């Protein structure tokens, strides 16, 4: 008891605080999302996400080299195809934009880990993460036909050189069928990072600008999770683990740190947190208006995800965070 115990003794200097710091953030914790588009020499900034660009494959390769040189171990690729159709052909075709970008990056930077987002929303005219019957104006996503498209997509991405398959559509049974398809096609060595607890969040808005995937009708709440639920997340991760998931993801991160904690407590698998577009854009907007210190808020936020239990963080701040890690102390 006071005055014997004085916790402030260990906060007296930067050196002491660093010495007893419980949580450490390093470049190895980060995964950088990139958006691939057809064409050459294209770097189109996303209006709602300052500093984030739609990039042609040649520019993706340049980014990949920079990311690797900075010590960031992985990227995740999203694609915006030239044409969209109800069969999401651009997602699973061997000449799809993500497949082209994946092959190009692995040829240029073989030691960089390339994750592929395995979903359909960017490749369909309706913008949903699954298969809709032609003429269905309600927007009912059909689970089992969607699984067939996801199987084709995962195998195509693996053939292109993807190191990790990351299915994000929240279809029932998607981990099981993707695992089976990968194994049957000689890719039993490729891990699956499942978007196991993906919530129907309002924080995704800027991403839909970047990926050009806003739903034109229908309701994603029929397959993404209710933000009010936490026990449901534990059920989802349990199912995905049983189906063969190697890593688990919680998305979004900022308002769901309790879910990150509960998922980490419930499993010994690596847990990733997706620091999503809306979280990124809020920080950028406030910083551009001079309302916050962007460096400090960014590092504090990412550190908080680690403290909550995240082993990996997907974040658009990744490159800036690496630059700022040695400039921000607590």
């Amino acid at each position: 008891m006071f005055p014997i115990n004085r916790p402030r003794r260990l906060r007296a200097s930067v050196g002491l605080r660093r010495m007893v710091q419980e949580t450490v953030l390093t470049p190895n914790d980060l995964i950088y999302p990139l958006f691939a588009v057809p064409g050459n020499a294209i770097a189109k900034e996303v209006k709602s996400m300052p500093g984030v660009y739609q990039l042609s494959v040649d520019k993706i390769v340049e980014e990949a080299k920079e990311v690797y040189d900075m010590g960031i171990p992985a990227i995740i690729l999203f694609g915006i195809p030239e044409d969209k159709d109800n069969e999401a052909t651009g997602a699973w075709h061997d000449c799809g934009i993500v497949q082209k970008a994946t092959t190009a990056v692995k040829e240029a930077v073989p030691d960089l880990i390339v994750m592929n987002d395995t979903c359909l929303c960017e490749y369909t005219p309706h913008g949903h993460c699954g298969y809709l019957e032609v003429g269905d104006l309600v927007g009912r996503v059909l689970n089992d036909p969607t699984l067939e498209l996801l199987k084709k997509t995962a195998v195509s991405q693996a053939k292109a050189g993807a190191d990790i398959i990351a299915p994000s559509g929240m279809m029932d049974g998607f981990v099981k069928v993707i695992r089976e398809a990968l194994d049957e096609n000689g890719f039993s060595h490729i891990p699956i990072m499942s978007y196991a607890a993906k919530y129907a969040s309002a924080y995704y808005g800027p991403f839909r600008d970047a990926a050009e995937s806003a739903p034109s009708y229908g309701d994603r709440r029929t397959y993404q999770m209710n933000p009010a639920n936490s026990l449901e997340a534990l059920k989802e991760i349990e199912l995905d683990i049983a189906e063969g998931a190697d890593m688990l993801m919680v998305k979004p991160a900022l308002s769901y740190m309790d879910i990150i904690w509960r998922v980490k407590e419930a499993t010994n698998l690596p847990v990733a947190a997706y620091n999503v577009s809306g979280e990124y854009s809020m920080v950028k907007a406030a910083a551009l208006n001079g309302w916050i210190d962007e460096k400090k808020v960014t590092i504090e936020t990412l550190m908080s995800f680690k403290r909550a239990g995240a082993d990996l963080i997907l974040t658009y701040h990744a490159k800036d965070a690496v630059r700022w890690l040695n400039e921000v102390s607590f």
Side-chain angles (χ1 to χ4, degrees), residues 32-33 35 45-53 203-207 210 252-254 274-288 292 294 297-298 301-302 305 314-321 323-324:
Y32 191 47
F35 297 91
E45 189 169 25
V46 179
K47 187 177 180 180
S48 58
M49 298 179 69
V52 174
Y53 296 81
Y203 283 99
Y204 301 151
F207 173 90
L254 190 61
Y274 201 139
N275 180 207
V276 299
S277 60
E279 299 165 0
Y280 171 87
S281 294
M282 288 192 302
V283 170
K284 282 291 183 181
L288 287 169
I292 61 171
E294 182 180 1
V297 167
T298 296
T301 300
L302 298 178
F305 301 149
L314 291 79
T315 178
Y316 305 97
H317 293 290
K319 291 199 303 181
D320 284 339
R323 296 185 186 106
W324 298 336

Side-chain angles (χ1 to χ4, degrees), residues 260-268:
I260 297 169
W261 175 258
R262 295 192 71 169
V263 169
K264 188 60 183 175
E265 287 289 288
T267 177
N268 57 9

Side-chain angles (χ1 to χ4, degrees), residues 105-179:
V105 170
K106 291 304 295 183
E107 289 176 352
V109 199
D111 291 332
L112 181 70
I113 298 297
V114 178
M115 297 172 55
N116 281 184
D117 177 74
T118 306
C119 197
L120 309 178
C121 59
E122 299 108 298
Y123 306 94
T124 58
H126 47 71
H128 279 287
C129 301
Y131 184 81
L132 271 63
E133 285 189 293
V134 176
D136 183 348
L137 300 179
V138 179
R140 289 171 295 201
V141 175
L142 304 181
N143 193 91
D144 295 4
T146 298
L147 298 181
E148 295 303 312
L149 296 179
L150 292 175
K151 286 162 59 177
K152 293 166 64 175
T153 301
V155 171
S156 176
Q157 292 172 340
K159 287 179 178 177
D163 297 294
I164 299 173
I165 299 298
S168 60
M170 290 298 287
M171 295 295 115
D172 293 341
F174 70 162
V175 173
K176 178 178 184 291
V177 300
I178 288 173
R179 182 72 274 159

Side-chain angles (χ1 to χ4, degrees), residues 223-244:
Y223 48 97
Q224 294 176 1
M225 289 174 52
N226 185 338
N229 292 355
S230 57
L231 291 177
E232 184 182 5
L234 301 183
K235 178 181 179 180
E236 288 282 0
I237 68 158
E238 182 181 348
L239 292 170
D240 285 3
I241 291 170
E243 292 176 11

Side-chain angles (χ1 to χ4, degrees), residues 25-48:
L25 179 72
T26 76
N28 284 330
D29 302 318
L30 306 177
I31 298 167
Y32 191 47
L34 292 169
F35 297 91
V37 295
N40 290 291
I42 295 172
K44 179 184 177 184
E45 189 169 25
V46 179
K47 187 177 180 180
S48 58

